[in-house]
Amino acid sequence: MPPSTRTVAVILAGGIGVRVGLGIPKQLIKIAGKAIVEHTLEVANASPVIDEIVIVMNAGSLRELDSLKDPERFPKLTRIIPGGVSRNDSTQAALAVLGDDPDTKVILHDAVRPFVSERILEDCVDALDDYEAVDVAIPSADTIIEIDAASHITNIPDRSTLRRGQTPQAFRLGTIREAYRRAETDKAFRATDDCGVVFTYLPDVPIYVVEGSAENMKITEPIDVHIADKLFQMQSESLSAIDELPDLRDKVVVVFGGSYGIGKSIVDLATRAGAEVHEFSRSSTGTDVRSHKHVKKALKLAHERSGRIDFVVMSAGMLQMGPLTKAGVEEIEASIETNFVAPVIVSRAAHKYLMRSGGQLLLFTSSSHTRGRANYGVYSASKAAIVNLTQALSEEWAPDGVRINCINPQRTRTPMRRSAFGEEPEDTLLDPNDVASVSLQVLVSDLTGQVVTVQVERMRKR
């Protein structure tokens, strides 16, 4: 194949979302602060194996994607076109605008599969070097049965040979066009996917199958929306610490809770990276993050001294162990106020400063946000609330140009953890500087509404 061959990703977003039942096309449902189609577009745009992106959108909702026409954010997106009545009509609408080179690699992907991985995309593109048609599928974990009109079982196929089809599906442009050309002459033409068209009308063309993933789910039913939301909470982003610090010269960073632990590491690394850092905490400045008055005063002071605020980091927290029934009311209130109410207060007060600078707010959750833990349920519940707050504010603040993300550091060597759990094996804990390194990467990124996980295993691989 000529080295100049381009790869075009076609994101099929023509559905109307009847089964989801939320009154809008399913691809426009917002999860983790963004429409599902936007999440899918981000994956495709970030892929080094994709040169160009075309979105095929439900004609009645075409204007809903105007905000995605941003050359700086999505430079690979070249056009958004109206789809047809059926999936096959939408595919043909895309094929009609892809030029005349029959060797062009075409990746057809459902907009409502936002968890497609870079590995799957790369495998599909690579497979087109040797095949003209490629499908993606995973083994079936369930026994599949065939039934007749009376709902009687007529066959039970061998599960080991069965696969559950996903997308993307990939083709040489000339091949998929020829398959549809032949299909158009068949009055009984009917296919639920594009590989089916090739399988039926170009039977001599082998279709190679790339292994998919369980995470590459299709959001079709109402329950899928809830599952997808949880997947975004658990797997949104994972970054590793790096030795090279980002350039923070001319940036102003405010850190609440920066006198010890992860907060102090962020203060130290941000200072080394050239930022002007303002640190506030109860022990160093007498700042109580549970107080609206204290937080407003701190931000106003930082702004008066530096003239702007680019980033606000809220790392203060407290962890108290013990059964809920044994905890005092004041102890419970203090935990909720510090771990949840205080981030709300900081978020509310920081917004006006970050709106002026187009900046970012960074909050902190913990691995316990995905499931309540015995003996620190109030803490776990508060951290789950921080994730929801992050996702809600990313959507709420998007029109203001303010980003918000959440760091999820797992088992970090901090004074707070040591006081709660005692001494633990060093190689099982994150270094606070590694968490701080990832935090700075997030601050200078375009991410918003993401839960960024930092794990010990990833630190070892750097």
Side-chain angles (χ1 to χ4, degrees):
M1 181 178 295
S4 60
T5 297
R6 65 178 178 143
T7 299
V8 182
V10 176
I11 297 176
L12 297 165
I16 58 175
V18 173
R19 279 179 287 177
V20 173
L22 295 181
I24 61 173
K26 55 190 176 183
Q27 61 272 23
L28 297 179
I29 295 171
K30 288 194 174 181
I31 300 177
K34 302 173 187 175
I36 294 172
V37 64
E38 188 174 353
H39 286 292
T40 307
L41 174 59
E42 286 181 340
V43 176
N45 189 75
S47 172
V49 299
I50 291 175
D51 303 308
E52 180 183 345
I53 302 170
V54 175
I55 297 179
V56 184
M57 183 61 182
N58 178 326
S61 303
L62 207 60
R63 295 296 300 274
E64 298 291 337
L65 300 188
D66 284 350
S67 63
L68 302 183
K69 298 176 182 177
D70 183 347
E72 291 188 4
R73 185 180 178 201
F74 299 118
K76 295 181 182 179
L77 178 61
T78 58
R79 63 182 77 194
I80 301 175
I81 63 175
V85 176
S86 68
R87 160 65 179 262
N88 300 123
D89 292 334
S90 294
T91 295
Q92 292 189 78
L95 298 179
V97 302
L98 296 187
D100 300 323
D101 183 0
D103 285 329
T104 296
K105 295 180 177 182
V106 182
I107 309 295
L108 299 170
H109 185 61
D110 295 329
V112 289
R113 291 187 187 269
F115 299 106
V116 62
S117 68
E118 174 58 30
R119 191 272 303 168
I120 293 176
L121 293 174
E122 288 183 356
D123 286 353
C124 287
V125 174
D126 289 345
L128 287 178
D129 289 339
D130 301 308
Y131 297 90
E132 297 179 17
V134 178
D135 202 354
V136 172
I138 60 175
S140 175
D142 300 312
T143 297
I144 305 299
I145 62 174
E146 294 181 19
I147 63 173
D148 59 18
S151 293
H152 298 159
I153 293 178
T154 59
N155 187 30
I156 303 178
D158 182 358
R159 190 173 66 184
S160 67
T161 65
L162 300 179
R163 296 293 184 270
R164 293 164 49 201
Q166 299 181 332
T167 67
Q169 295 180 333
F171 309 90
R172 302 280 185 88
L173 179 57
T175 299
I176 189 64
R177 275 181 173 164
E178 176 61 18
Y180 270 104
R181 186 191 69 77
R182 296 188 184 186
E184 288 176 347
T185 65
D186 182 359
K187 293 182 180 180
F189 166 59
R190 182 180 181 184
T192 58
D193 69 353
D194 301 300
C195 278
V197 181
V198 173
F199 182 80
T200 302
Y201 298 100
L202 294 177
D204 294 332
V205 174
I207 303 174
Y208 181 75
V209 178
V210 163
E211 183 177 353
S213 70
E215 292 81 9
N216 186 27
M217 63 177 289
K218 186 176 183 180
I219 301 174
T220 302
E221 305 291 345
I223 192 173
D224 297 333
V225 177
H226 300 288
I227 295 172
D229 188 57
K230 181 58 66 175
L231 282 174
F232 272 116
Q233 287 187 359
M234 297 174 62
Q235 303 176 7
S236 297
E237 293 288 339
S238 292
L239 300 176
S240 296
I242 57 177
D243 293 327
E244 184 178 352
L245 294 175
D247 185 358
L248 294 181
R249 287 174 294 181
D250 300 323
K251 299 298 184 182
V252 178
V253 182
V254 174
V255 182
F256 289 99
S259 61
Y260 74 102
I262 294 172
K264 185 177 187 306
S265 293
I266 291 175
V267 169
D268 293 342
L269 289 190
T271 301
R272 282 174 47 196
E276 184 175 349
V277 182
H278 300 274
E279 181 271 320
F280 298 96
S281 67
R282 180 177 293 186
S283 60
S284 62
T285 61
T287 303
D288 185 350
V289 291
R290 300 173 298 178
S291 165
H292 292 272
K293 182 178 179 180
H294 283 203
V295 170
K296 288 182 178 180
K297 181 180 178 181
L299 290 169
K300 181 180 179 181
L301 178 61
H303 189 266
E304 288 176 347
R305 289 178 175 175
S306 301
R308 61 182 290 136
I309 296 175
D310 297 287
F311 307 119
V312 175
V313 178
M314 171 54 179
S315 63
M318 65 179 296
L319 174 59
Q320 295 175 326
M321 302 288 292
L324 180 64
T325 54
K326 300 290 181 64
V329 173
E330 292 184 358
E331 183 181 344
I332 293 172
E333 289 178 346
S335 179
I336 296 173
E337 288 174 356
T338 302
N339 295 316
F340 178 61
V341 176
V344 171
I345 291 173
V346 171
S347 300
R348 187 172 183 271
H351 175 264
K352 68 177 183 180
Y353 298 104
L354 298 176
M355 186 169 61
R356 296 170 192 169
S357 63
Q360 181 182 156
L361 172 66
L362 194 63
L363 303 179
F364 280 78
T365 184
S366 83
S367 57
S368 66
H369 82 271
T370 60
R371 182 175 64 85
R373 300 291 198 268
N375 295 321
Y376 51 109
V378 173
Y379 176 83
S380 298
S382 298
K383 291 304 183 181
I386 292 298
V387 171
N388 291 329
L389 177 68
T390 298
Q391 294 176 336
L393 291 184
S394 69
E395 181 178 339
E396 191 174 318
W397 290 356
D400 301 327
V402 179
R403 289 165 291 122
I404 175 171
N405 291 293
C406 185
I407 300 293
N408 176 27
Q410 301 192 343
R411 298 172 59 87
T412 306
R413 190 168 57 251
T414 63
M416 183 176 75
R417 183 174 184 87
R418 189 176 299 113
S419 65
F421 295 98
E423 294 298 328
E424 300 174 281
E426 289 289 314
D427 61 353
T428 67
L429 302 177
L430 286 167
D431 187 316
N433 285 329
D434 285 333
V435 180
S437 172
V438 173
S439 298
L440 296 189
Q441 291 182 63
V442 173
L443 287 180
V444 298
S445 74
D446 293 327
L447 297 175
T448 190
Q450 302 301 302
V451 181
V452 180
T453 298
V454 191
Q455 295 180 336
V456 172
E457 291 79 10
R458 288 185 172 86
M459 297 301 99
R460 292 172 180 168
K461 293 178 181 179
R462 67 185 179 119

